[in-house]
Amino acid sequence: MNLFNALRYGWNVNVLGPAVLRLQRWQAQRRPARWDTRYLAPPLRIAPRTKELVARHWLAGRYANGYRKVAWVTSGAPVELLKALDFYVLYPENHAAICGTARVAVDIASEAESAGYSRDLCSYARTDIGAVLSGKTPVGHLPKPDVLFACTNICQTVLFWYRVLAEYFGAPLVLIDTPFVYTEEAAEHAVRYVRRQLEEAVPILERIAGKRLDERKLRQVGLLSKRASELWLEILQRCRHRPAPISVFDQFIQMAPIVEMRGDPETVDFYAALLKEVDERIATGIGAVKNERQRVLWDNLPIWYRLRYLAEFLAQHGVAVVASTYTNAWGELAPLIDPDDLWESMARTYIYPILNRGTGHKLRTMQQMVKEYQLDGAILHSDRSCKPYSIGQMDQRDRLIRELGVPALLLEADHNDFRVFAEEQVATRLAAFVEMLG
Amino acid sequence: MASTPTIPSRTETIRAWKEQGGAIAAVLPIHHPRALLRAFGLLPVEVWGPPRVDPAPGAAHLQPYVCSIVGNALSFLLRDGLEVADVILVPHACDSLQGLGSLLLDFVRPRQPVFPLYIPRGRRESDLQFLADECRALYDKLAAATGRTPSEAELMESIRREEEADGLLAELYRRRRTLPLTDLAFYRLARAREYLPAEEFAALLRAVLDTPPTDPSAGLPILLSGIVPEPMGLLDAITQMGGVVVADDLACCGRRLYPPGTSTAPFRRMAERILNAPPDPTRGSPIAERLRHLMGMARETGARGVVFYDVKFCEPELFDLPLLRRRLQEAGLPSVHIEVDLNDPLSGQILTRVEAFLEMVAHQTPEEGHR
Ligand code: SF4
Ligand code: SF4
C-alpha cells in the first residue's frame, strides 16, 4: 500500500463518496414510488438506505486495489475467514444480479459470448466474464482480485467459472469443496474434509493478506454473521403474518447486504432497522400487496430484469408472493453458526445450504413453507442457465400438487438473460395460474 | 488395415457374467473405483447416455436444457434398460449428474440401491484423504447390499487386476499408430473397458499388442477432445476425409488412463489412481494444466488440429473452451468445436464442418503449425 492509494481510498470512500451517497439517499427519499401503488404498498422507507449501503460497498471496491487486498468470492463461501483478514470481498454473482436488475446484463454477457462463451452457460458467469473482458459495469469499476475464493456448496458451475477467472487474472484460486449432501445428514468424513480445507486455506490467505489471522476477530465476525443471518430469518418469518408485510420481491432487493456484507456491523444495524419497519407495517396492518387474497411461494433465483412486472402483475390479482427457498437460504443456517466452536460449525454450516442438498430436501423445505406460511400455490422458476437449482423441479411441482393439493406453476425463464423470457407465454401462464388459485 | 478384433458385446458380457453368478453395477460417468466394485463380485457396466434412446421418459423429470448424457441415462433406466443391474453407482462430475443422482434417490427410486460417489475437485492431501474415505464409505454400503466383505488382500488383488488392464490400455494408446486398427476399431476396443471385466479386456489388448507393428497410419493427424465420440460413425467419417485421430482427451477414454497407484492401503490407492489421471475439468484441473496436456499430446503425436466434440449443455467443457481454443490457436494448433445431442444422427452439417476443418488444417503448412 502506498500513501497515494491510502489517501485516495480515504478521501473517496470515507469522505467524498458518503457525502454524495447521502445526498442521493435524500433525493431518493423524496422521489415518488416507481412501482404501482394502486396494488402494492408504498416502498419500504429503508429502501434508499439499502441502496446507499450497497453503493458504499461497491465504492470501496472501486478504490480497493493498492490499498486493501481483494477477494472475489462465491455467494455461499465461508466469507468470515476473509473478513477477519480484512479483505475487500467482491461477489461476482451479486455484481451480475445488479447488472440484471439494471438490464445491462445481456449487453455485458454478449461480450463474453463474442469471446466464445456459450449462451448455455450460467448467465451470472457470462455477465461476470463479459465484465472482466470489457470493463463494462454499472458500479463504476471492479477491482482486480488478489485471490479467488470458490466454494462448491451452491454449484459446480462456480468452480468452472472461477478457473476461467484464475486464467484471466493470474490470481490464485482457493477452493473449498463441499461434497453434495444426497441424504439428510452429511457424512462425517465430508464434514471433516470441509473443515480441513478451511484450516488449510488459512496460511494461503494469510500470505496473500500479509497478516496473521486473529482468532478473536474471526469470532467477532462469526458473531456478526450469525446475528445478521438471524435477523434476516426473523424478517422473512414475519411474512407468515396476514397480510404479509413484505413480498419476496422486496426480499430480493433487501437481501444484498446479507450476501455481500455478512460479518459487518453495519449489516446487523441495517437488518435490525428493517425488522423494526416490518414490525411497524404489521402493527399498522400494511400488507405488501394491498388486497392480499392468495399467498404463494417462489422457488429458485429471481428473474432480476422482471421483478417489477411480476410484482405488479400478481399484486393486481391479489396474489402476494410471500416466501422463497432462495431468500430463505441466507437465513436458515443461522442456528448452525456457533462462534464458540467456529471451525467445526463453519464446516457444518457451509456444507448444508439448500443448493448442496438433495432434490427431496428441497421438496420438504417447500412443503414446510406451504404449511408455515399458509400458502395457496407455488411458482417454480425453471431457470434455464441454473441447472443445480432447477433439476428436480418437475417432480417437486408434481408432488406439491399431488400431496398438498396446491397449484404449482413451472415458469420457464432465466435469472439474468432476458432473451429467453417469452413475454407473452409468461403472461398467459401466469394468468392461468392466477385463475387456478381461485 | 484390419478392422475390429472380436469384442464381446455388452449384452453377451452381462449375460455371461450373470451366468457365472456375478452381479452387475450400472455406473454413470465419469470416474469411479472399478476395483472396489469388482472386489464385491460386481461387474461395472458404464452408461454413457446411451445414444439413441426414446428421450420421452426422461423428459418427464428433466428440463430440456439438461445434457443428453443425463437425459438418456434416465430415459434408459425408466424404459427398463437397467433391469440387468443390481446396483446403480452415480459418481459426481457436474451439476447435471448431481441432479440425476438426487432424482434417482428421491423421486425415481428404482428397485436397485443407488449409491452416489463424490469425486473431489482438487489434488491436495485433503482431497486424497477424502476420496479414500469416500471409497471406504462405498465399501460399507456395498457390503450391506451384497452381504460380502472382501478382505484387504482381495481389494489389493482387484486393484492389481485393474492396474494391469489400464497399463495395457496406456500401451495401446502409445502404439496406436502402428497397430492394425482403424480409428473406429481402436475406439471400439478402448471403449470395451466400459463393460468388459479387466482380465478379459487385458487378454483382448494383449492379442492386439502382440500383432506385428504396421506402417504408421497415414492421414492428417488430429486430436479429439470432449466427452464421448458418439455417434461412433464420426470416426469412420474422419478416416474417409483423410484424417487420423492420433490422441484424445475424451472423458470416456483418454482422461481415464489411470496410472498405477503407489499406496499399500487399498482405499488410498484407489483414490490416488483417480486423482492422478490426466487433467479433467470435472475434477477441477486448472485450464492451464489442460492446455499443457493438450499441447504435450499434440507435440508427441504430431497432431495438427483439435476437434472439440462436445455434448450440448455440457458446462464443464463449455467453460474451458474459449481459452483453450484461443491459446491452442496462438500455439499454431487450430481447432473446431462441434456440439451434439446423443439422440441426433451424424448430420451432414457436422460432417461438412469436420471436412472443412480438415481441409483447412491440411492447407496450413507445418511451419505455421506448432510454435
Ligand atoms: S445461478 Fe446457479 S449455476 Fe449460476 S452460480 Fe448461481 S447456483 Fe451456480
Ligand atoms: S456431458 Fe457434461 S454436463 Fe453432461 S453429464 Fe457429462 S460432464 Fe455432465
Side-chain angles (χ1 to χ4, degrees):
Chain A
M1 184 214 316
N2 64 28
L3 188 61
F4 171 73
N5 286 332
L7 286 173
R8 193 178 63 146
Y9 186 92
W11 172 250
N12 286 303
V13 178
N14 298 327
V15 183
L16 184 63
V20 173
L21 292 174
R22 262 197 305 277
L23 177 68
Q24 286 177 353
R25 165 153 58 110
W26 185 83
Q27 289 168 333
Q29 279 161 344
R30 273 142 198 88
R31 220 171 275 139
R34 292 219 191 106
W35 291 21
D36 196 335
T37 47
R38 283 175 301 165
Y39 312 110
L40 293 162
L44 284 160
R45 284 198 317 277
I46 205 164
R49 184 168 157 197
T50 322
K51 232 178 159 171
E52 184 186 0
L53 194 65
V54 172
R56 261 195 90 158
H57 173 74
W58 291 99
L59 179 71
R62 199 169 171 162
Y63 297 99
N65 284 140
Y67 175 69
R68 293 171 72 179
K69 294 294 178 185
V70 174
W72 284 29
V73 184
T74 60
S75 65
V79 68
E80 290 77 10
L81 284 180
L82 298 159
K83 292 268 179 187
L85 282 163
D86 290 326
F87 277 92
Y88 171 78
V89 179
L90 184 148
Y91 288 85
E93 291 154 70
N94 271 54
H95 174 253
I98 291 174
C99 297
T101 320
R103 302 193 191 188
V104 294
V106 168
D107 174 44
I108 298 177
S110 310
E111 300 281 350
E113 289 156 19
S114 312
Y117 292 91
S118 164
R119 273 175 71 170
D120 293 332
L121 293 174
C122 164
S123 51
Y124 274 175
R126 270 181 287 139
T127 309
D128 178 53
I129 295 170
V132 171
L133 294 179
S134 66
K136 289 183 185 172
T137 166
V139 301
H141 167 78
L142 297 178
K144 285 199 172 59
D146 296 288
V147 65
L148 298 158
F149 195 60
C151 182
T152 54
N153 62 0
I154 50 166
C155 61
Q156 292 297 323
T157 299
V158 287
L159 178 57
F160 302 133
W161 165 7
Y162 276 52
R163 287 161 63 257
V164 172
L165 296 180
E167 295 298 324
Y168 281 123
F169 289 114
L173 169 56
V174 175
L175 166 69
I176 306 293
D177 192 13
T178 47
F180 189 75
V181 184
Y182 289 92
T183 47
E184 266 314 291
E185 287 279 313
E188 271 314 300
H189 68 271
V191 178
R192 214 165 40 235
Y193 171 51
V194 176
R195 179 173 176 161
R196 192 161 169 192
Q197 292 175 83
L198 290 171
E199 288 166 352
E200 284 171 355
V202 172
I204 305 171
L205 296 174
E206 284 180 334
R207 212 170 32 248
I208 298 165
K211 59 172 74 163
R212 299 297 302 270
L213 180 72
D214 176 348
E215 287 272 347
R216 270 175 320 175
K217 187 159 183 196
L218 180 62
R219 188 172 180 279
Q220 182 61 21
V221 173
L223 269 170
L224 290 168
S225 199
K226 181 180 173 72
R227 186 64 197 126
S229 305
E230 283 169 349
L231 283 165
W232 177 243
L233 191 61
E234 272 186 72
I235 291 163
L236 302 186
Q237 289 176 347
R238 291 294 198 269
C239 294
R240 290 175 182 169
H241 192 272
R242 274 178 187 269
I246 59 170
S247 74
V248 156
F249 302 104
D250 298 313
Q251 295 172 15
F252 289 153
I253 296 165
Q254 302 305 329
M255 70 186 287
I258 193 64
V259 183
E260 62 194 12
M261 284 170 250
R262 209 162 61 242
D264 292 348
E266 297 84 358
T267 309
V268 174
D269 297 344
F270 171 78
Y271 284 116
L274 178 55
L275 181 60
K276 195 161 160 257
E277 186 176 349
V278 167
D279 281 339
E280 280 168 26
R281 277 193 168 193
I282 292 175
T284 48
I286 296 176
V289 168
K290 280 191 170 159
N291 172 26
E292 179 188 299
R293 290 189 300 109
Q294 308 284 356
R295 298 155 62 84
V296 304
L297 171 89
W298 181 273
D299 179 53
N300 213 328
L301 276 83
I303 302 172
W304 288 113
Y305 46 90
R306 284 292 185 277
L307 291 185
R308 176 175 166 184
Y309 162 78
L310 291 166
E312 288 179 348
F313 180 93
L314 292 165
Q316 206 175 337
H317 294 88
V319 178
V321 189
V322 302
S324 145
T325 53
Y326 182 67
T327 49
N328 194 52
W330 273 270
E332 65 177 346
L333 300 180
L336 287 182
I337 307 172
D338 177 1
D340 294 322
D341 187 9
L342 207 53
W343 293 98
E344 184 64 15
S345 73
M346 266 204 288
R348 288 188 190 278
T349 306
Y350 285 103
I351 207 171
Y352 278 131
I354 192 165
L355 269 172
N356 205 42
R357 305 187 72 169
T359 47
H361 174 82
K362 178 140 81 80
L363 173 67
R364 284 189 291 281
T365 305
M366 289 198 263
Q367 288 174 328
Q368 201 178 332
M369 286 178 135
V370 167
K371 286 179 191 145
E372 288 176 359
Y373 288 78
Q374 299 170 46
L375 304 178
D376 306 294
I379 299 173
L380 289 78
H381 166 207
S382 172
D383 187 341
R384 188 179 186 279
S385 74
C386 179
K387 294 177 187 70
Y389 218 138
S390 305
I391 295 179
Q393 283 180 320
M394 297 172 80
D395 285 280
Q396 287 154 355
R397 175 201 53 188
D398 294 350
R399 296 279 287 268
L400 284 171
I401 296 172
R402 215 171 51 226
E403 290 170 12
L404 298 184
V406 294
L409 168 72
L410 204 62
L411 193 69
E412 301 284 343
D414 186 276
H415 52 286
N416 244 23
D417 192 338
F418 60 69
R419 292 167 295 186
V420 298
F421 188 84
E423 201 86 53
E424 274 179 32
Q425 198 187 327
V426 169
T428 315
R429 304 209 64 203
L430 277 177
F433 174 66
V434 167
E435 232 182 273
M436 280 180 77
L437 287 173
Chain B
M1 197 174 273
S3 57
T4 327
T6 311
I7 305 170
S9 70
R10 265 171 208 260
T11 320
E12 287 162 2
T13 307
I14 292 170
R15 193 184 312 122
W17 188 261
K18 288 226 147 185
E19 276 168 12
Q20 288 166 32
I24 301 291
V27 185
L28 282 115
I30 298 175
H31 303 283
H32 62 102
R34 288 188 178 111
L36 183 55
L37 295 165
R38 281 296 307 277
F40 283 90
L42 287 158
L43 176 68
V45 176
E46 297 176 3
V47 187
W48 290 78
R52 290 171 299 282
V53 299
D54 169 15
H61 300 267
L62 292 165
Q63 289 96 330
Y65 46 80
V66 177
C67 78
S68 48
I69 290 264
V70 163
N72 282 17
L74 185 55
S75 294
F76 189 59
L77 179 121
L78 292 168
R79 282 256 186 251
D80 297 338
L82 296 183
E83 264 315 288
V84 288
D86 300 281
V87 304
I88 300 174
L89 181 70
V90 192
H92 194 297
C94 59
D95 294 324
S96 303
L97 270 168
Q98 165 187 298
L100 176 63
S102 186
L103 273 180
L104 292 179
L105 282 164
D106 291 333
F107 296 121
V108 176
R109 295 171 179 264
R111 66 166 179 81
Q112 306 93 331
V114 176
F115 300 130
L117 178 80
Y118 192 82
I119 306 292
R121 270 39 180 190
R123 276 171 62 184
R124 306 156 293 189
E125 172 55 31
S126 47
D127 301 306
L128 194 60
Q129 184 57 53
F130 168 76
L131 187 52
D133 288 344
E134 190 73 348
C135 289
R136 186 188 304 273
L138 180 58
Y139 174 101
D140 292 340
K141 289 178 195 163
L142 291 171
T146 62
R148 297 168 76 155
T149 50
S151 67
E152 210 169 298
E154 285 168 324
L155 287 171
M156 285 308 276
E157 174 51 25
S158 184
I159 292 173
R160 195 204 49 73
R161 212 171 29 225
E162 298 298 332
E163 287 188 352
E164 191 183 351
D166 286 335
L168 287 163
L169 183 59
E171 181 63 13
L172 190 83
Y173 263 77
R174 271 191 293 278
R175 290 182 31 201
R176 62 191 294 169
R177 289 202 75 178
T178 56
L179 293 173
L181 297 174
T182 61
D183 278 346
L184 180 60
F186 177 87
Y187 280 102
R188 285 221 170 106
L189 184 58
R191 294 195 62 197
R193 184 81 178 102
E194 292 167 19
Y195 61 90
L196 278 184
E199 55 281 18
E200 255 183 74
F201 181 71
L204 208 55
L205 258 54
R206 262 192 224 101
V208 174
L209 290 166
D210 281 348
T211 56
T214 59
D215 287 338
S217 47
L220 187 72
I222 58 159
L223 206 153
L224 197 55
S225 176
I227 299 291
V228 65
E230 293 284 2
M232 294 278 278
L234 168 80
L235 297 158
D236 261 352
I238 290 177
T239 309
Q240 278 154 23
M241 293 169 191
V244 55
V245 180
V246 289
D248 82 66
D249 164 51
L250 292 167
C252 67
C253 296
R255 289 184 205 163
R256 301 197 304 165
L257 292 173
Y258 301 113
T262 55
S263 173
T264 51
F267 298 123
R268 193 172 167 91
R269 188 163 180 137
M270 290 172 195
E272 268 177 1
R273 300 198 64 219
I274 291 176
L275 295 193
N276 290 333
D280 180 342
T282 70
R283 289 196 349 268
S285 311
I287 296 175
E289 199 181 307
R290 289 198 65 199
L291 185 74
R292 274 196 300 279
H293 181 65
L294 289 170
M295 298 284 296
M297 279 197 294
R299 244 192 325 274
E300 274 168 31
T301 59
R304 305 229 337 246
V306 184
V307 175
F308 287 100
Y309 193 75
D310 289 331
V311 177
K312 187 150 174 59
F313 298 115
C314 177
E315 291 212 332
E317 298 296 316
L318 290 174
F319 266 105
D320 289 10
L321 204 65
L323 271 172
L324 285 180
R325 291 193 66 192
R326 198 176 83 202
R327 296 200 176 148
L328 287 170
Q329 183 67 47
E330 285 163 5
L333 262 182
S335 62
V336 65
H337 178 224
I338 288 162
E339 276 187 298
V340 291
D341 184 297
L342 287 187
N343 291 315
D344 291 345
L346 195 56
S347 71
Q349 198 203 10
I350 290 177
L351 293 177
T352 311
R353 290 190 59 210
V354 175
E355 191 165 21
F357 175 68
L358 293 179
E359 272 173 24
M360 188 270 286
V361 175
H363 285 101
Q364 198 181 38
T365 55
E367 297 81 68
E368 285 177 286
H370 307 218
R371 280 190 283 269

